[in-house]
PDB file of all heavy atoms in Angstrom:
ATOM      1  N   THR A  31    -184.077  24.599 -23.339  1.00 78.00           N
ATOM      2  CA  THR A  31    -185.394  23.871 -23.248  1.00 78.00           C
ATOM      3  C   THR A  31    -185.357  22.597 -22.505  1.00 78.00           C
ATOM      4  O   THR A  31    -186.314  21.897 -22.387  1.00 78.00           O
ATOM      5  CB  THR A  31    -185.942  23.692 -24.557  1.00 78.00           C
ATOM      6  OG1 THR A  31    -185.018  22.838 -25.408  1.00 78.00           O
ATOM      7  CG2 THR A  31    -186.190  24.979 -25.365  1.00 78.00           C
ATOM      8  N   GLY A  82    -175.204  -3.842  -7.795  1.00 86.00           N
ATOM      9  CA  GLY A  82    -175.481  -4.979  -8.640  1.00 86.00           C
ATOM     10  C   GLY A  82    -175.936  -4.467  -9.978  1.00 86.00           C
ATOM     11  O   GLY A  82    -176.148  -5.235 -10.938  1.00 86.00           O
ATOM     12  N   PRO A  84    -175.548  -3.087 -13.629  1.00 87.00           N
ATOM     13  CA  PRO A  84    -174.445  -3.136 -14.549  1.00 87.00           C
ATOM     14  C   PRO A  84    -174.024  -1.735 -15.004  1.00 87.00           C
ATOM     15  O   PRO A  84    -172.841  -1.602 -15.403  1.00 87.00           O
ATOM     16  CB  PRO A  84    -174.943  -3.991 -15.757  1.00 87.00           C
ATOM     17  CG  PRO A  84    -176.524  -3.887 -15.632  1.00 87.00           C
ATOM     18  CD  PRO A  84    -176.778  -3.770 -14.158  1.00 87.00           C
ATOM     19  N   GLY A 233    -189.576  20.054  14.703  1.00 36.00           N
ATOM     20  CA  GLY A 233    -189.558  19.864  16.210  1.00 36.00           C
ATOM     21  C   GLY A 233    -191.031  20.070  16.796  1.00 36.00           C
ATOM     22  O   GLY A 233    -191.246  19.843  17.885  1.00 36.00           O
ATOM     23  N   GLY A 265    -205.733  20.176  -2.400  1.00 81.00           N
ATOM     24  CA  GLY A 265    -206.473  20.456  -3.583  1.00 81.00           C
ATOM     25  C   GLY A 265    -207.789  19.676  -3.581  1.00 81.00           C
ATOM     26  O   GLY A 265    -208.846  20.168  -3.939  1.00 81.00           O
TER      27      GLY A 265
END
Side-chain angles (χ1 to χ4, degrees):
Chain A
T31 59

